[in-house]
């Protein structure tokens, strides 16, 4: 028993080919539950789900509560639920921030990033992103020092990084675990519709100060777009085992393909060189925010896998750092499905090596009817 335990600790957990190891990578949907449903608590709709692990091994789920309408504009609050038992049960909803606006453009989520060095959870969101009835866009941050139980008051980062229109994520930011720039916080997002592109902000002091990093700008930049222009948009960064950062990006105007744009930074998020940008034809996409995750040498990707419609939420995985994808996939939901986000718990506990966790927008008629949580067993439930 002890020997098996040691073997499990030291050996990679997945095996492909004919040599069958102790556990074969065979993702299986184990549990699903709805965390928010439209109309619940008199809120018009819940959208833009984020999911993260915490330093203590809890899970935190976030969503925009759109008070009056389903629109991207308008008044909203940030809703959160917390699970301390790996997603089995969830706390009642708590409120992290409320924009208290009635007519004007309110807040929008967002990117959540965990700093393991100082054991804090940081949430970055935007105010007045669409400049709808307000004239200045701001990047805001709230943080929790107690594993998501309580949150400080929102801090305005615009004095440090400027008042540009920056919509973080939606998804997770990363803390670099490898060189270069080990320990750095990297949060990527996108710009306005005309001034679109992928932009990253960086912090080397655990979120105290932030600066502007990489910019992969749309073409033509700051000008009206047409179909098939290059317009990289909502994005999810992932750190690879070699310390580079892969950013998986929404291809807003279907430039070159109806599939995902992939960019890469080898300097800790300072640049996203055009030479490293490619189009992943296997990851067909209806223009949406998607999720990506790196765990134990396997890269996972989730999106509504359809060229035209937000349906068919599908989990894929790659044993080659995203250079190719396995032929097997897991369909999470055949019907309408929209934005999604993934996380996993710390790898130092055997039990935590077995699962990844997904949150996504789910519906029967439209994709934005509810926010659903899914627990995936990576090794066929064994
Ligand atoms: C954030 O700060 C900027 C300037 O530093 C200011 O223009 C903006 O109004 C502030 N935003 C909020 C929501 O307080
Ligand atoms: C769902 O996704 C799978 C995997 O990409 C694909 O083979 C299938 O055609 C898709 N179905 C629909 C209805 O989009
Ligand atoms: C996946 O399917 C393609 C086409 O059928 C085949 O060429 C390829 O070898 C398969 N890949 C794996 C890893 O099985």
């Amino acid at each position: 028993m002890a020997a098996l335990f040691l073997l499990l600790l030291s050996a990679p957990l997945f095996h492909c080919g004919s040599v069958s190891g102790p556990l074969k990578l065979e993702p299986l949907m184990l549990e699903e539950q709805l965390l928010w449903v439209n109309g619940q608590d008199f809120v018009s709709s819940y959208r833009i789900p984020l999911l993260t692990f915490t330093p203590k091994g809890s899970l935190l789920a976030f969503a925009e509560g759109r008070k009056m309408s389903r629109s991207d504009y308008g008044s909203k609050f940030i809703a959160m639920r917390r699970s301390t038992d790996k997603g089995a049960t969830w706390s009642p909803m708590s409120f992290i921030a409320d924009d208290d606006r009635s007519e004007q453009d309110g807040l929008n989520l967002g990117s959540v990033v965990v700093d393991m060095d100082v054991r804090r959870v940081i949430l970055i969101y935007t105010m007045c992103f669409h400049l709808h009835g307000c004239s200045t866009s701001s990047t805001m941050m709230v943080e929790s020092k107690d594993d998501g139980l309580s949150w400080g008051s929102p801090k305005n980062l615009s004095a440090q990084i400027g008042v540009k229109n920056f919509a973080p994520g939606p998804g997770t930011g990363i803390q670099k675990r490898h060189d270069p720039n080990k320990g750095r916080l990297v949060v990527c997002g996108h710009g306005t519709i005309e001034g679109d592109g992928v932009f990253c902000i960086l912090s080397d002091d655990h979120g105290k100060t932030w600066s502007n990093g990489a910019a992969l700008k749309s073409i033509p930049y700051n000008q009206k777009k047409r179909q098939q222009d290059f317009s990289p948009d909502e994005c999810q960064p992932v750190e690879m085992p070699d310390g580079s950062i892969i950013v998986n990006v929404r291809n807003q105007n279907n430039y070159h393909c109806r599939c995902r744009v992939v960019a890469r930074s080898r300097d800790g998020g300072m640049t996203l060189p055009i030479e490293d940008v490619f189009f992943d034809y296997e990851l067909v996409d209806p223009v949406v925010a998607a999720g990506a995750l790196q765990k134990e040498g396997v890269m996972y990707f989730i999106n509504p896998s359809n060229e035209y419609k937000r349906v068919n939420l599908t989990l894929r995985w790659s044993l080659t750092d995203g250079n190719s994808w396995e032929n097997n996939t897991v369909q999470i939901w055949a019907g309408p499905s929209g934005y999604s986000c993934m996380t996993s718990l710390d790898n130092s506990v055997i039990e935590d090596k077995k699962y990844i966790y997904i949150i996504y927008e789910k519906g029967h008629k439209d994709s934005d009817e509810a926010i659903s949580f899914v627990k995936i067993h990576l090794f066929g439930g064994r």
Side-chain angles (χ1 to χ4, degrees):
M1 191 61 204
L4 178 65
F5 187 73
L6 277 178
L7 180 72
L8 284 172
L9 267 185
S10 55
L13 278 170
F14 64 89
H15 290 265
C16 41
S18 57
V19 191
S20 63
L23 294 170
K24 188 175 179 298
L25 186 63
E26 201 182 331
L28 176 79
M29 211 169 142
L30 207 59
E31 293 165 19
E32 172 159 28
Q33 60 177 302
L34 299 183
L35 296 186
W36 287 282
V37 178
N38 282 3
Q40 183 184 324
D41 296 301
F42 305 104
V43 175
S44 171
S45 81
Y46 293 91
R47 279 211 60 196
I48 327 294
L50 311 181
L51 187 65
T52 186
F53 65 95
T54 69
K56 283 190 181 160
S58 306
L59 292 170
L60 304 181
F62 305 85
E64 287 178 5
R66 301 187 168 184
K67 297 181 208 171
M68 309 303 178
S69 79
R70 287 166 127 174
S71 136
D72 288 347
Y73 313 141
S75 189
K76 303 177 209 74
F77 64 90
I78 299 175
M80 190 201 75
R81 297 184 70 180
R82 181 169 180 265
S83 173
T84 53
D85 55 9
K86 303 179 196 292
T89 60
W90 292 83
S91 72
M93 170 163 67
S94 57
F95 302 81
I96 293 184
D98 189 327
D99 55 28
D100 200 23
R101 306 235 169 152
S102 48
E103 303 298 320
Q104 296 176 331
D105 198 2
L107 61 82
N108 285 96
L109 283 177
S111 182
V112 59
V113 58
V114 178
D115 190 314
M116 286 301 277
D117 300 339
V118 297
R119 302 178 76 77
R120 290 185 189 173
V121 184
I122 292 172
L123 186 64
I124 311 241
Y125 60 96
T126 172
M127 278 289 283
C128 183
F129 176 75
H130 310 90
L131 302 177
H132 190 82
C134 46
S135 57
T136 312
S137 185
S138 317
T139 303
M140 309 295 290
M141 165 179 148
V142 273
E143 81 182 318
S144 172
K145 300 176 181 174
D146 58 4
D147 216 58
L149 275 173
S150 68
W151 295 79
S153 42
K155 230 175 89 179
N156 185 348
L157 301 185
S158 291
Q160 293 165 18
I161 59 168
V163 288
K164 60 181 184 180
N165 300 59
F166 174 64
T172 57
I174 54 179
Q175 181 173 43
K176 294 278 283 102
R177 302 320 297 174
H178 308 284
D179 282 327
N181 312 102
K182 195 171 170 209
R184 171 178 284 176
L185 303 179
V186 181
V187 167
C188 300
H190 73 99
T192 56
I193 297 303
E194 289 184 4
D196 210 352
V198 169
F199 301 91
C200 301
I201 61 170
L202 317 172
S203 175
D204 288 320
D205 56 8
H206 311 291
K208 216 174 287 163
T209 61
W210 293 83
S211 59
N212 289 302
L216 175 64
K217 292 179 174 172
S218 59
I219 305 171
Y221 187 61
N222 262 342
Q223 294 164 51
K224 278 229 155 34
K225 294 294 188 297
R226 292 181 188 162
Q227 262 312 302
Q228 286 154 42
D229 280 347
F230 180 63
S231 194
D233 192 76
E234 295 173 318
C235 60
Q236 175 60 62
V238 181
E239 184 174 24
M240 304 312 285
D242 68 357
S244 67
I245 300 167
I246 283 186
V247 190
N248 193 293
V249 187
R250 167 172 170 160
N251 189 357
Q252 182 66 26
N253 289 22
N254 295 308
Y255 176 80
H256 199 70
C257 65
R258 290 183 176 271
C259 71
R260 305 291 296 179
V261 180
V262 182
R264 190 165 198 153
S265 175
R266 298 175 199 275
D267 57 6
M270 277 304 291
T271 63
L272 289 166
I274 199 79
E275 294 87 337
D276 281 324
V277 171
F278 73 96
F279 297 84
D280 194 330
Y281 303 110
E282 285 193 62
L283 303 184
V284 300
D285 191 72
V287 185
V288 71
L293 178 72
Q294 163 77 38
K295 185 180 173 70
E296 302 266 313
V298 182
M299 189 165 174
Y300 298 90
F301 175 78
I302 189 164
N303 77 336
S305 180
N306 184 285
E307 289 191 6
Y308 299 96
K309 290 201 299 199
R310 291 182 179 178
V311 296
N312 193 31
L313 194 82
T314 301
L315 176 69
R316 293 172 177 280
W317 52 98
S318 167
L319 308 180
T320 57
D321 292 344
N323 287 312
S324 62
W325 298 91
E326 291 299 288
N327 285 338
N328 293 336
T329 60
V330 172
Q331 187 185 59
I332 305 293
W333 178 243
S337 36
Y339 286 26
S340 57
C341 183
M342 281 190 283
T343 195
S344 77
L345 293 171
D346 181 51
N347 296 335
S348 60
V349 188
I350 281 287
E351 191 62 12
D352 289 343
K353 290 182 189 277
K354 293 185 186 167
Y355 305 101
I356 59 172
Y357 306 92
I358 295 166
I359 195 167
Y360 73 101
E361 297 173 341
K362 174 181 190 174
H364 287 276
K365 211 166 131 274
D366 300 305
S367 64
D368 62 351
E369 291 165 10
I371 306 277
S372 186
F373 167 82
V374 168
K375 183 170 182 172
I376 299 282
H377 195 298
L378 294 176
F379 307 104
R382 286 181 291 278

